[in-house]
């Protein structure tokens, strides 16, 4: 995994809920409002800002399954890719929307 921006969207309205920057090798814990979300993962090497993300190294994927978070049960997300992993994604050919 490179550096990453994790984005959560309300799947019913496509409204952006939260974006979190995760530096390569870091572990991050973020409180998320309870609910079910569509998750996008934007990865790359060097941060170029909220419009260009990681420049030419930017990759952009959507997690195939919706993510559900609750007060009683959080969800851990491991961004390290492996063949045996369970975070299935689909790549986008277009660039992600700029951060607001």
């Amino acid at each position: 995994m490179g550096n990453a921006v994790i984005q959560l969207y309300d799947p019913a309205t496509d409204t952006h809920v939260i974006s979190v920057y995760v530096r390569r090798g870091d572990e991050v814990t973020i409180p998320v409002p309870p609910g079910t979300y569509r998750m996008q993962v934007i990865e790359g090497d060097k941060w170029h800002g909220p419009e260009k993300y990681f420049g030419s190294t930017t990759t952009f994927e959507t997690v195939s399954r919706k993510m559900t978070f609750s007060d009683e049960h959080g969800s851990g997300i491991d961004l390290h890719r492996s063949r045996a992993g369970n975070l299935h994604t689909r790549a986008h050919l277009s660039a992600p929307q700029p951060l607001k």
Side-chain angles (χ1 to χ4, degrees), residues 73-92:
H73 174 51
S75 292
I77 302 165
D78 185 350
L79 297 176
H80 295 93
R81 303 292 198 253
S82 87
R83 289 181 188 244
N86 63 0
L87 187 65
H88 302 287
T89 61
R90 56 182 162 76
H92 291 271

Side-chain angles (χ1 to χ4, degrees), residues 21-43:
Y21 181 86
V22 181
R23 192 177 357 201
R24 178 180 294 134
D26 282 359
E27 252 185 57
V28 177
T29 301
I30 303 294
V32 174
T36 299
Y37 302 98
R38 179 174 53 83
M39 185 171 100
Q40 294 182 337
V41 180
I42 303 162
E43 292 182 276

Side-chain angles (χ1 to χ4, degrees), residues 56-88:
S56 64
T57 66
T58 300
T59 62
F60 174 38
E61 301 172 308
T62 296
V63 175
S64 298
R65 293 187 196 157
K66 293 179 180 80
M67 304 292 293
T68 299
F69 301 90
S70 69
D71 288 331
E72 296 81 32
H73 174 51
S75 292
I77 302 165
D78 185 350
L79 297 176
H80 295 93
R81 303 292 198 253
S82 87
R83 289 181 188 244
N86 63 0
L87 187 65
H88 302 287

Side-chain angles (χ1 to χ4, degrees), residues 4-10 14-23 28-33 37-42 47 49-51 53-54 60 96-100:
V5 174
I6 307 303
Q7 297 180 318
L8 298 180
Y9 288 84
D10 179 319
D14 207 34
T15 303
H16 175 260
V17 176
I18 190 171
S19 290
V20 178
Y21 181 86
V22 181
R23 192 177 357 201
V28 177
T29 301
I30 303 294
V32 174
Y37 302 98
R38 179 174 53 83
M39 185 171 100
Q40 294 182 337
V41 180
I42 303 162
W47 183 248
E51 292 188 14
Y53 289 91
F54 301 100
F60 174 38
Q97 293 294 316
L99 290 172
K100 296 180 183 183

